Structures are given as structure tokens and as C-alpha cells.
Amino acid sequence: MGRKKVHDETLRLRLLDRAGELLAEGGSDALSLRDLARSAGTSTSAVYSLFGGKPDLLRALYIEGFHRLSRRLRSVDPDPDPVEDLVRLAHAYRSSALADPNYYRAIFGRGHDDQDEELATAGAGAFGPLLEAVQRGIRAGKLVDEDPAAVASALWALVHGLVTLELSDLLRHGSEGFDYAARAALRGWRTETATR
């Protein structure tokens, strides 16, 4: 009979969740591995065993945050209208941020190591659904024929700004106000022939 694994995925995710909370409460300086372990009901040796140290813990937190965002965006059912896909993706982005605000704040709260391939891949995975929807919209003649990455980045910036303001209690637009803003931004990228 094999030896029972002590430090499993459940503990790993519990530590990441708690690390995100501590990071949101007091920033990187407030995140000590000893306090994290104690507040998660485990030992510092478990933290070291699972993550190595604080830099690797933070890296795992960012990667998990990007993966959660990416999964939420990839779960959006495609619409025959690629512009409507973009509205749905905007709402999925907002839902992801509201469901996991600590991960959202963590992944967008600081710069990341551009040389870290896994982290870059995780970030690109979160951007991918938006870029793909913009490319479909351009191919279908519903969006202006501009650089898809530039269009997707502009749309992401708007949605990100709205969500960040909402999480900071600086903007209380709700789902309807958010939808209106997303659709208004998209009107600027639509072709004249697009009617919806």
C-alpha cells in the first residue's frame, strides 16, 4: 500500500486562496509564509514543500489566477455573432473578477517576469479568447479591419478598468451598466455595415 500524500492539491489551493487574501489585505510585505501556514491550518514545511519559498508561492498564485480567468473565458458558449461573443466575454471577465477578487488583484497588481515562460503562457491563455473573438469579428466583416491585438487590447483595457473600479467600490454600475459600457465601446470598433 502506498504512502498517503500529505500535501495534496486541496491544501495547495487552500494556501493559494489564503495567500491571495493576505496579499489583498496588506500587500507582498504582509505575506509571510509563517502567517500563511498558521492561518491555513498547516505548517511552514508544507508551504515550502508545495511551493519552495515566497517567490514561487507568488508565481503559483499568479499562474492559478490566470488559469481561473482563462477557464471562465473559455467557458463562454460561442454566439453566431462574434460581436456578441465579445460582450459575453466581457461579462465572463467581470464574473471571474467578482468571483475571485483576490486572484484578480494579484495577477494585475504587479508586473510579472517577462522571461517566465509558464507565466507568460498563462497570461496569453487569458487573453486568447478575446483575441480569437476579435479575429472572428474582423473576418466576418463586423469589426473594422485593424490589428486584432490592438483592438483586443483596447477592449480588454476598458473592461479591466470598469471591473477594477467596481472592485474598489468606485463605480457601482451593476451588470446592466457594465453591459451598456461594453456595447458602447464595441460600437467604436464595428463596421458601418454591422447593425446589431
Side-chain angles (χ1 to χ4, degrees):
M1 177 181 245
R3 188 175 171 188
K4 185 180 175 188
K5 192 173 180 182
V6 177
H7 308 310
D8 61 7
E9 184 65 9
T10 301
L11 176 59
R12 181 183 171 280
L13 289 175
R14 189 168 80 234
L15 286 166
L16 289 176
D17 288 346
R18 186 62 188 133
E21 291 169 8
L22 293 171
L23 198 63
E25 290 168 7
S28 181
D29 292 340
L31 178 59
S32 84
L33 298 187
R34 179 172 289 143
D35 290 342
L36 170 63
R38 184 173 38 252
S39 67
T42 191
S43 65
T44 53
S45 64
V47 178
Y48 283 109
S49 172
L50 286 165
F51 301 106
K54 186 173 175 179
D56 291 327
L57 169 72
L58 289 172
R59 179 178 177 274
L61 181 68
Y62 305 143
I63 290 170
E64 177 66 21
F66 278 126
H67 284 170
R68 287 180 183 209
L69 176 58
S70 181
R71 281 193 301 270
R72 183 72 66 122
L73 295 176
R74 294 259 177 227
S75 74
V76 172
D77 290 327
D79 190 277
D81 181 355
V83 175
E84 198 59 30
D85 272 351
L86 290 167
V87 173
R88 290 179 179 189
L89 286 168
H91 280 281
Y93 185 96
R94 177 177 179 261
S95 295
S96 181
L98 296 179
D100 288 314
N102 296 326
Y103 283 96
Y104 178 85
R105 288 182 178 109
I107 61 178
F108 295 117
R110 66 173 288 278
H112 302 290
D113 181 0
D114 292 340
Q115 306 304 311
D116 187 324
E117 226 173 283
E118 187 179 2
L119 191 50
T121 300
F127 185 64
L130 176 60
L131 181 59
E132 292 159 15
V134 167
Q135 289 167 334
R136 285 193 308 274
I138 292 171
R139 280 194 305 272
K142 299 221 174 191
L143 296 176
V144 294
D145 190 8
E146 299 286 342
D147 175 15
V151 176
S153 295
L155 293 172
W156 187 335
L158 171 88
V159 170
H160 177 78
L162 290 170
V163 168
T164 300
L165 289 170
E166 184 174 4
L167 286 176
S168 301
D169 286 329
L170 296 172
L171 184 64
R172 292 184 180 93
H173 48 67
S175 182
E176 286 182 17
F178 181 85
D179 187 80
Y180 178 83
R183 289 179 188 281
L186 278 166
R187 278 195 295 274
W189 292 104
R190 296 190 68 150
T191 59
E192 291 179 14
T193 57
T195 57
R196 193 169 170 185

